[in-house]
Amino acid sequence: MGVIRFQIQKEISKRLGEVGIDQDTMVVAYDDKKGSFASRLSWQLHYLGHEQFSILEGGYEAWVEAGYPTTTNIPTYPEKTFVPSVRKEERVTREDVIQRLGSSDSILIDARAPERYAGGADSLDAKSGHIPGALNYFWEDLLDDSGNWKSGAALADHFKALPKDKEIIVYCGSGVTACPNVFALKEAGFHHVKLYSGSWSDWVSYEDSPIETSTQK
């Protein structure tokens, strides 16, 4: 597994260099999915040791609505060499989560919609429910009525029930929409935040993974 992970990191780093990104390149990520995929790209950059990145407030829709220019041209940039410096401590695996189940030192956060968390109909995965003990903090609740990220004070209030001295592990369905929660938690002053990148899709791929359907929040 370690060899496979290294190869994936190597391929991602190679691709980043091919499109013109190195450690000194400022990357502004956006999408048309309320910032979820932009957050996932930004987390990947951070995980590989990149520091110069931002997420465009409001995404593509806000850009267009503001009257800024758009184009269908695909730009090209001079190729660079991206040298990763992996932050291994910010990512956990299923085995890591299994070891922490029931521990008072770790808190699991499920970023999916409440109905998926509670075990309702789930057309995206083979099984429904959540990891035992996980709390539900739906990622879209991080946005205000305009679709922009809530302020730091509002995010601090959103997560006020969580202790800041605990390790917090965030997951979602496939490791994408957990990333907004990762960044929001850090913005709110939490320093021990990690991503379970395999998330629910990985969890339910194992027959012996425990599943819970009762609501805990």
PDB file of all heavy atoms in Angstrom, residues 141-173:
ATOM      1  N   ASP A 141     -23.322  23.727   5.472  1.00  0.00           N
ATOM      2  CA  ASP A 141     -23.645  24.655   6.554  1.00  0.00           C
ATOM      3  C   ASP A 141     -22.512  25.644   6.813  1.00  0.00           C
ATOM      4  O   ASP A 141     -22.664  26.568   7.623  1.00  0.00           O
ATOM      5  CB  ASP A 141     -23.949  23.889   7.845  1.00  0.00           C
ATOM      6  CG  ASP A 141     -25.266  23.132   7.771  1.00  0.00           C
ATOM      7  OD1 ASP A 141     -26.116  23.504   6.944  1.00  0.00           O
ATOM      8  OD2 ASP A 141     -25.438  22.161   8.543  1.00  0.00           O
ATOM      9  N   LEU A 142     -21.394  25.475   6.128  1.00  0.00           N
ATOM     10  CA  LEU A 142     -20.272  26.404   6.239  1.00  0.00           C
ATOM     11  C   LEU A 142     -20.483  27.648   5.388  1.00  0.00           C
ATOM     12  O   LEU A 142     -19.752  28.625   5.508  1.00  0.00           O
ATOM     13  CB  LEU A 142     -18.967  25.724   5.795  1.00  0.00           C
ATOM     14  CG  LEU A 142     -18.581  24.443   6.511  1.00  0.00           C
ATOM     15  CD1 LEU A 142     -17.379  23.806   5.832  1.00  0.00           C
ATOM     16  CD2 LEU A 142     -18.289  24.712   7.981  1.00  0.00           C
ATOM     17  N   LEU A 143     -21.507  27.611   4.526  1.00  0.00           N
ATOM     18  CA  LEU A 143     -21.774  28.710   3.601  1.00  0.00           C
ATOM     19  C   LEU A 143     -22.913  29.586   4.106  1.00  0.00           C
ATOM     20  O   LEU A 143     -23.836  29.108   4.776  1.00  0.00           O
ATOM     21  CB  LEU A 143     -22.134  28.151   2.225  1.00  0.00           C
ATOM     22  CG  LEU A 143     -21.152  27.144   1.622  1.00  0.00           C
ATOM     23  CD1 LEU A 143     -21.699  26.596   0.304  1.00  0.00           C
ATOM     24  CD2 LEU A 143     -19.787  27.762   1.419  1.00  0.00           C
ATOM     25  N   ASP A 144     -22.836  30.875   3.771  1.00  0.00           N
ATOM     26  CA  ASP A 144     -23.931  31.763   4.144  1.00  0.00           C
ATOM     27  C   ASP A 144     -25.013  31.737   3.064  1.00  0.00           C
ATOM     28  O   ASP A 144     -24.921  30.966   2.095  1.00  0.00           O
ATOM     29  CB  ASP A 144     -23.429  33.191   4.399  1.00  0.00           C
ATOM     30  CG  ASP A 144     -22.793  33.833   3.160  1.00  0.00           C
ATOM     31  OD1 ASP A 144     -23.084  33.389   2.026  1.00  0.00           O
ATOM     32  OD2 ASP A 144     -22.014  34.780   3.343  1.00  0.00           O
ATOM     33  N   ASP A 145     -26.017  32.576   3.193  1.00  0.00           N
ATOM     34  CA  ASP A 145     -27.146  32.558   2.260  1.00  0.00           C
ATOM     35  C   ASP A 145     -26.745  32.964   0.843  1.00  0.00           C
ATOM     36  O   ASP A 145     -27.458  32.667  -0.121  1.00  0.00           O
ATOM     37  CB  ASP A 145     -28.257  33.494   2.754  1.00  0.00           C
ATOM     38  CG  ASP A 145     -28.895  32.991   4.042  1.00  0.00           C
ATOM     39  OD1 ASP A 145     -28.794  31.781   4.299  1.00  0.00           O
ATOM     40  OD2 ASP A 145     -29.479  33.813   4.779  1.00  0.00           O
ATOM     41  N   SER A 146     -25.603  33.649   0.712  1.00  0.00           N
ATOM     42  CA  SER A 146     -25.121  34.060  -0.605  1.00  0.00           C
ATOM     43  C   SER A 146     -24.215  33.023  -1.248  1.00  0.00           C
ATOM     44  O   SER A 146     -23.753  33.211  -2.370  1.00  0.00           O
ATOM     45  CB  SER A 146     -24.371  35.397  -0.486  1.00  0.00           C
ATOM     46  OG  SER A 146     -25.229  36.409   0.009  1.00  0.00           O
ATOM     47  N   GLY A 147     -23.942  31.933  -0.524  1.00  0.00           N
ATOM     48  CA  GLY A 147     -23.062  30.903  -1.058  1.00  0.00           C
ATOM     49  C   GLY A 147     -21.601  31.157  -0.774  1.00  0.00           C
ATOM     50  O   GLY A 147     -20.739  30.430  -1.282  1.00  0.00           O
ATOM     51  N   ASN A 148     -21.323  32.199   0.022  1.00  0.00           N
ATOM     52  CA  ASN A 148     -19.946  32.489   0.403  1.00  0.00           C
ATOM     53  C   ASN A 148     -19.600  31.806   1.726  1.00  0.00           C
ATOM     54  O   ASN A 148     -20.483  31.458   2.508  1.00  0.00           O
ATOM     55  CB  ASN A 148     -19.738  34.000   0.555  1.00  0.00           C
ATOM     56  CG  ASN A 148     -19.926  34.736  -0.759  1.00  0.00           C
ATOM     57  OD1 ASN A 148     -19.544  34.253  -1.826  1.00  0.00           O
ATOM     58  ND2 ASN A 148     -20.519  35.919  -0.695  1.00  0.00           N
ATOM     59  N   TRP A 149     -18.304  31.650   1.974  1.00  0.00           N
ATOM     60  CA  TRP A 149     -17.862  31.062   3.227  1.00  0.00           C
ATOM     61  C   TRP A 149     -18.256  31.980   4.382  1.00  0.00           C
ATOM     62  O   TRP A 149     -18.166  33.202   4.278  1.00  0.00           O
ATOM     63  CB  TRP A 149     -16.347  30.873   3.228  1.00  0.00           C
ATOM     64  CG  TRP A 149     -15.879  29.824   2.290  1.00  0.00           C
ATOM     65  CD1 TRP A 149     -15.700  29.954   0.945  1.00  0.00           C
ATOM     66  CD2 TRP A 149     -15.526  28.472   2.609  1.00  0.00           C
ATOM     67  NE1 TRP A 149     -15.252  28.767   0.407  1.00  0.00           N
ATOM     68  CE2 TRP A 149     -15.137  27.849   1.407  1.00  0.00           C
ATOM     69  CE3 TRP A 149     -15.490  27.750   3.797  1.00  0.00           C
ATOM     70  CZ2 TRP A 149     -14.720  26.517   1.360  1.00  0.00           C
ATOM     71  CZ3 TRP A 149     -15.076  26.425   3.752  1.00  0.00           C
ATOM     72  CH2 TRP A 149     -14.705  25.822   2.545  1.00  0.00           C
ATOM     73  N   LYS A 150     -18.688  31.402   5.485  1.00  0.00           N
ATOM     74  CA  LYS A 150     -18.980  32.179   6.673  1.00  0.00           C
ATOM     75  C   LYS A 150     -17.687  32.771   7.235  1.00  0.00           C
ATOM     76  O   LYS A 150     -16.594  32.271   6.978  1.00  0.00           O
ATOM     77  CB  LYS A 150     -19.651  31.300   7.730  1.00  0.00           C
ATOM     78  CG  LYS A 150     -21.062  30.859   7.356  1.00  0.00           C
ATOM     79  CD  LYS A 150     -21.684  29.990   8.437  1.00  0.00           C
ATOM     80  CE  LYS A 150     -23.109  29.596   8.068  1.00  0.00           C
ATOM     81  NZ  LYS A 150     -23.706  28.695   9.091  1.00  0.00           N
ATOM     82  N   SER A 151     -17.825  33.821   8.005  1.00  0.00           N
ATOM     83  CA  SER A 151     -16.665  34.488   8.600  1.00  0.00           C
ATOM     84  C   SER A 151     -16.008  33.594   9.644  1.00  0.00           C
ATOM     85  O   SER A 151     -16.602  32.609  10.116  1.00  0.00           O
ATOM     86  CB  SER A 151     -17.100  35.790   9.260  1.00  0.00           C
ATOM     87  OG  SER A 151     -17.917  35.515  10.389  1.00  0.00           O
ATOM     88  N   GLY A 152     -14.791  33.959  10.018  1.00  0.00           N
ATOM     89  CA  GLY A 152     -14.081  33.188  11.026  1.00  0.00           C
ATOM     90  C   GLY A 152     -14.852  33.106  12.334  1.00  0.00           C
ATOM     91  O   GLY A 152     -14.902  32.044  12.975  1.00  0.00           O
ATOM     92  N   ALA A 153     -15.479  34.210  12.739  1.00  0.00           N
ATOM     93  CA  ALA A 153     -16.258  34.222  13.980  1.00  0.00           C
ATOM     94  C   ALA A 153     -17.464  33.298  13.876  1.00  0.00           C
ATOM     95  O   ALA A 153     -17.803  32.577  14.825  1.00  0.00           O
ATOM     96  CB  ALA A 153     -16.710  35.650  14.297  1.00  0.00           C
ATOM     97  N   ALA A 154     -18.125  33.311  12.705  1.00  0.00           N
ATOM     98  CA  ALA A 154     -19.295  32.453  12.506  1.00  0.00           C
ATOM     99  C   ALA A 154     -18.882  30.981  12.485  1.00  0.00           C
ATOM    100  O   ALA A 154     -19.605  30.117  12.994  1.00  0.00           O
ATOM    101  CB  ALA A 154     -20.006  32.821  11.204  1.00  0.00           C
ATOM    102  N   LEU A 155     -17.727  30.699  11.915  1.00  0.00           N
ATOM    103  CA  LEU A 155     -17.239  29.323  11.889  1.00  0.00           C
ATOM    104  C   LEU A 155     -16.862  28.859  13.295  1.00  0.00           C
ATOM    105  O   LEU A 155     -17.108  27.705  13.668  1.00  0.00           O
ATOM    106  CB  LEU A 155     -16.028  29.210  10.959  1.00  0.00           C
ATOM    107  CG  LEU A 155     -16.312  29.408   9.473  1.00  0.00           C
ATOM    108  CD1 LEU A 155     -15.011  29.377   8.672  1.00  0.00           C
ATOM    109  CD2 LEU A 155     -17.272  28.333   8.953  1.00  0.00           C
ATOM    110  N   ALA A 156     -16.269  29.751  14.066  1.00  0.00           N
ATOM    111  CA  ALA A 156     -15.927  29.416  15.446  1.00  0.00           C
ATOM    112  C   ALA A 156     -17.194  29.075  16.232  1.00  0.00           C
ATOM    113  O   ALA A 156     -17.215  28.129  17.032  1.00  0.00           O
ATOM    114  CB  ALA A 156     -15.185  30.570  16.101  1.00  0.00           C
ATOM    115  N   ASP A 157     -18.259  29.829  15.988  1.00  0.00           N
ATOM    116  CA  ASP A 157     -19.531  29.548  16.644  1.00  0.00           C
ATOM    117  C   ASP A 157     -20.124  28.226  16.158  1.00  0.00           C
ATOM    118  O   ASP A 157     -20.704  27.465  16.936  1.00  0.00           O
ATOM    119  CB  ASP A 157     -20.506  30.700  16.379  1.00  0.00           C
ATOM    120  CG  ASP A 157     -21.823  30.524  17.118  1.00  0.00           C
ATOM    121  OD1 ASP A 157     -21.818  30.597  18.356  1.00  0.00           O
ATOM    122  OD2 ASP A 157     -22.853  30.302  16.453  1.00  0.00           O
ATOM    123  N   HIS A 158     -19.965  27.958  14.872  1.00  0.00           N
ATOM    124  CA  HIS A 158     -20.481  26.720  14.271  1.00  0.00           C
ATOM    125  C   HIS A 158     -19.857  25.488  14.932  1.00  0.00           C
ATOM    126  O   HIS A 158     -20.544  24.484  15.162  1.00  0.00           O
ATOM    127  CB  HIS A 158     -20.172  26.741  12.770  1.00  0.00           C
ATOM    128  CG  HIS A 158     -20.637  25.534  12.025  1.00  0.00           C
ATOM    129  ND1 HIS A 158     -21.970  25.234  11.833  1.00  0.00           N
ATOM    130  CD2 HIS A 158     -19.941  24.539  11.406  1.00  0.00           C
ATOM    131  CE1 HIS A 158     -22.087  24.114  11.132  1.00  0.00           C
ATOM    132  NE2 HIS A 158     -20.870  23.675  10.861  1.00  0.00           N
ATOM    133  N   PHE A 159     -18.576  25.578  15.263  1.00  0.00           N
ATOM    134  CA  PHE A 159     -17.852  24.437  15.837  1.00  0.00           C
ATOM    135  C   PHE A 159     -17.628  24.574  17.346  1.00  0.00           C
ATOM    136  O   PHE A 159     -16.792  23.867  17.909  1.00  0.00           O
ATOM    137  CB  PHE A 159     -16.491  24.296  15.147  1.00  0.00           C
ATOM    138  CG  PHE A 159     -16.562  23.931  13.694  1.00  0.00           C
ATOM    139  CD1 PHE A 159     -16.056  24.798  12.725  1.00  0.00           C
ATOM    140  CD2 PHE A 159     -17.103  22.724  13.280  1.00  0.00           C
ATOM    141  CE1 PHE A 159     -16.090  24.461  11.374  1.00  0.00           C
ATOM    142  CE2 PHE A 159     -17.154  22.378  11.932  1.00  0.00           C
ATOM    143  CZ  PHE A 159     -16.643  23.247  10.982  1.00  0.00           C
ATOM    144  N   LYS A 160     -18.378  25.436  18.007  1.00  0.00           N
ATOM    145  CA  LYS A 160     -18.095  25.753  19.404  1.00  0.00           C
ATOM    146  C   LYS A 160     -18.234  24.558  20.345  1.00  0.00           C
ATOM    147  O   LYS A 160     -17.645  24.556  21.436  1.00  0.00           O
ATOM    148  CB  LYS A 160     -19.002  26.894  19.870  1.00  0.00           C
ATOM    149  CG  LYS A 160     -20.488  26.552  19.878  1.00  0.00           C
ATOM    150  CD  LYS A 160     -21.315  27.762  20.281  1.00  0.00           C
ATOM    151  CE  LYS A 160     -22.812  27.439  20.265  1.00  0.00           C
ATOM    152  NZ  LYS A 160     -23.620  28.635  20.630  1.00  0.00           N
ATOM    153  N   ALA A 161     -18.981  23.541  19.941  1.00  0.00           N
ATOM    154  CA  ALA A 161     -19.165  22.371  20.810  1.00  0.00           C
ATOM    155  C   ALA A 161     -17.970  21.424  20.783  1.00  0.00           C
ATOM    156  O   ALA A 161     -17.894  20.499  21.604  1.00  0.00           O
ATOM    157  CB  ALA A 161     -20.429  21.615  20.403  1.00  0.00           C
ATOM    158  N   LEU A 162     -17.040  21.657  19.880  1.00  0.00           N
ATOM    159  CA  LEU A 162     -15.892  20.767  19.735  1.00  0.00           C
ATOM    160  C   LEU A 162     -14.702  21.273  20.543  1.00  0.00           C
ATOM    161  O   LEU A 162     -14.389  22.464  20.493  1.00  0.00           O
ATOM    162  CB  LEU A 162     -15.498  20.645  18.261  1.00  0.00           C
ATOM    163  CG  LEU A 162     -16.560  20.101  17.308  1.00  0.00           C
ATOM    164  CD1 LEU A 162     -16.043  20.169  15.867  1.00  0.00           C
ATOM    165  CD2 LEU A 162     -16.940  18.678  17.676  1.00  0.00           C
ATOM    166  N   PRO A 163     -14.009  20.395  21.257  1.00  0.00           N
ATOM    167  CA  PRO A 163     -12.810  20.809  21.998  1.00  0.00           C
ATOM    168  C   PRO A 163     -11.623  20.993  21.064  1.00  0.00           C
ATOM    169  O   PRO A 163     -11.420  20.198  20.148  1.00  0.00           O
ATOM    170  CB  PRO A 163     -12.572  19.641  22.966  1.00  0.00           C
ATOM    171  CG  PRO A 163     -13.171  18.459  22.269  1.00  0.00           C
ATOM    172  CD  PRO A 163     -14.354  18.984  21.503  1.00  0.00           C
ATOM    173  N   LYS A 164     -10.855  22.035  21.286  1.00  0.00           N
ATOM    174  CA  LYS A 164      -9.735  22.330  20.398  1.00  0.00           C
ATOM    175  C   LYS A 164      -8.472  21.540  20.720  1.00  0.00           C
ATOM    176  O   LYS A 164      -7.500  21.578  19.958  1.00  0.00           O
ATOM    177  CB  LYS A 164      -9.433  23.823  20.413  1.00  0.00           C
ATOM    178  CG  LYS A 164     -10.530  24.656  19.763  1.00  0.00           C
ATOM    179  CD  LYS A 164     -10.144  26.116  19.643  1.00  0.00           C
ATOM    180  CE  LYS A 164     -11.223  26.892  18.895  1.00  0.00           C
ATOM    181  NZ  LYS A 164     -10.886  28.328  18.755  1.00  0.00           N
ATOM    182  N   ASP A 165      -8.473  20.820  21.834  1.00  0.00           N
ATOM    183  CA  ASP A 165      -7.281  20.056  22.201  1.00  0.00           C
ATOM    184  C   ASP A 165      -7.359  18.600  21.748  1.00  0.00           C
ATOM    185  O   ASP A 165      -6.472  17.806  22.051  1.00  0.00           O
ATOM    186  CB  ASP A 165      -7.058  20.107  23.712  1.00  0.00           C
ATOM    187  CG  ASP A 165      -8.227  19.523  24.498  1.00  0.00           C
ATOM    188  OD1 ASP A 165      -9.338  19.415  23.939  1.00  0.00           O
ATOM    189  OD2 ASP A 165      -8.014  19.165  25.677  1.00  0.00           O
ATOM    190  N   LYS A 166      -8.419  18.251  21.022  1.00  0.00           N
ATOM    191  CA  LYS A 166      -8.585  16.888  20.541  1.00  0.00           C
ATOM    192  C   LYS A 166      -8.191  16.772  19.068  1.00  0.00           C
ATOM    193  O   LYS A 166      -8.259  17.737  18.307  1.00  0.00           O
ATOM    194  CB  LYS A 166     -10.037  16.436  20.686  1.00  0.00           C
ATOM    195  CG  LYS A 166     -10.593  16.525  22.100  1.00  0.00           C
ATOM    196  CD  LYS A 166      -9.990  15.498  23.015  1.00  0.00           C
ATOM    197  CE  LYS A 166     -10.670  15.530  24.383  1.00  0.00           C
ATOM    198  NZ  LYS A 166     -10.090  14.543  25.312  1.00  0.00           N
ATOM    199  N   GLU A 167      -7.804  15.570  18.671  1.00  0.00           N
ATOM    200  CA  GLU A 167      -7.598  15.281  17.250  1.00  0.00           C
ATOM    201  C   GLU A 167      -8.961  15.177  16.586  1.00  0.00           C
ATOM    202  O   GLU A 167      -9.862  14.507  17.094  1.00  0.00           O
ATOM    203  CB  GLU A 167      -6.851  13.961  17.102  1.00  0.00           C
ATOM    204  CG  GLU A 167      -6.736  13.472  15.668  1.00  0.00           C
ATOM    205  CD  GLU A 167      -6.193  12.060  15.582  1.00  0.00           C
ATOM    206  OE1 GLU A 167      -6.877  11.128  16.082  1.00  0.00           O
ATOM    207  OE2 GLU A 167      -5.099  11.876  15.038  1.00  0.00           O
ATOM    208  N   ILE A 168      -9.140  15.863  15.461  1.00  0.00           N
ATOM    209  CA  ILE A 168     -10.403  15.809  14.730  1.00  0.00           C
ATOM    210  C   ILE A 168     -10.156  15.207  13.349  1.00  0.00           C
ATOM    211  O   ILE A 168      -9.326  15.697  12.589  1.00  0.00           O
ATOM    212  CB  ILE A 168     -11.030  17.204  14.594  1.00  0.00           C
ATOM    213  CG1 ILE A 168     -11.355  17.764  15.984  1.00  0.00           C
ATOM    214  CG2 ILE A 168     -12.291  17.143  13.742  1.00  0.00           C
ATOM    215  CD1 ILE A 168     -12.006  19.120  15.966  1.00  0.00           C
ATOM    216  N   ILE A 169     -10.873  14.141  13.056  1.00  0.00           N
ATOM    217  CA  ILE A 169     -10.763  13.451  11.772  1.00  0.00           C
ATOM    218  C   ILE A 169     -12.046  13.665  10.989  1.00  0.00           C
ATOM    219  O   ILE A 169     -13.146  13.369  11.482  1.00  0.00           O
ATOM    220  CB  ILE A 169     -10.520  11.944  11.971  1.00  0.00           C
ATOM    221  CG1 ILE A 169      -9.193  11.719  12.705  1.00  0.00           C
ATOM    222  CG2 ILE A 169     -10.525  11.210  10.638  1.00  0.00           C
ATOM    223  CD1 ILE A 169      -8.950  10.286  13.114  1.00  0.00           C
ATOM    224  N   VAL A 170     -11.930  14.197   9.789  1.00  0.00           N
ATOM    225  CA  VAL A 170     -13.100  14.515   8.972  1.00  0.00           C
ATOM    226  C   VAL A 170     -13.191  13.553   7.791  1.00  0.00           C
ATOM    227  O   VAL A 170     -12.180  13.233   7.157  1.00  0.00           O
ATOM    228  CB  VAL A 170     -13.028  15.962   8.440  1.00  0.00           C
ATOM    229  CG1 VAL A 170     -14.345  16.343   7.784  1.00  0.00           C
ATOM    230  CG2 VAL A 170     -12.709  16.945   9.564  1.00  0.00           C
ATOM    231  N   TYR A 171     -14.396  13.100   7.513  1.00  0.00           N
ATOM    232  CA  TYR A 171     -14.616  12.274   6.323  1.00  0.00           C
ATOM    233  C   TYR A 171     -15.940  12.660   5.692  1.00  0.00           C
ATOM    234  O   TYR A 171     -16.754  13.387   6.273  1.00  0.00           O
ATOM    235  CB  TYR A 171     -14.594  10.777   6.681  1.00  0.00           C
ATOM    236  CG  TYR A 171     -15.823  10.274   7.411  1.00  0.00           C
ATOM    237  CD1 TYR A 171     -16.911   9.745   6.710  1.00  0.00           C
ATOM    238  CD2 TYR A 171     -15.908  10.321   8.798  1.00  0.00           C
ATOM    239  CE1 TYR A 171     -18.035   9.273   7.374  1.00  0.00           C
ATOM    240  CE2 TYR A 171     -17.025   9.856   9.473  1.00  0.00           C
ATOM    241  CZ  TYR A 171     -18.089   9.332   8.758  1.00  0.00           C
ATOM    242  OH  TYR A 171     -19.209   8.878   9.412  1.00  0.00           O
ATOM    243  N   CYS A 172     -16.169  12.179   4.475  1.00  0.00           N
ATOM    244  CA  CYS A 172     -17.435  12.423   3.777  1.00  0.00           C
ATOM    245  C   CYS A 172     -17.769  11.167   2.992  1.00  0.00           C
ATOM    246  O   CYS A 172     -17.597  10.061   3.500  1.00  0.00           O
ATOM    247  CB  CYS A 172     -17.325  13.653   2.879  1.00  0.00           C
ATOM    248  SG  CYS A 172     -15.976  13.554   1.675  1.00  0.00           S
ATOM    249  N   GLY A 173     -18.215  11.317   1.755  1.00  0.00           N
ATOM    250  CA  GLY A 173     -18.511  10.142   0.945  1.00  0.00           C
ATOM    251  C   GLY A 173     -17.292   9.592   0.238  1.00  0.00           C
ATOM    252  O   GLY A 173     -17.036   8.393   0.250  1.00  0.00           O
TER     253      GLY A 173
END
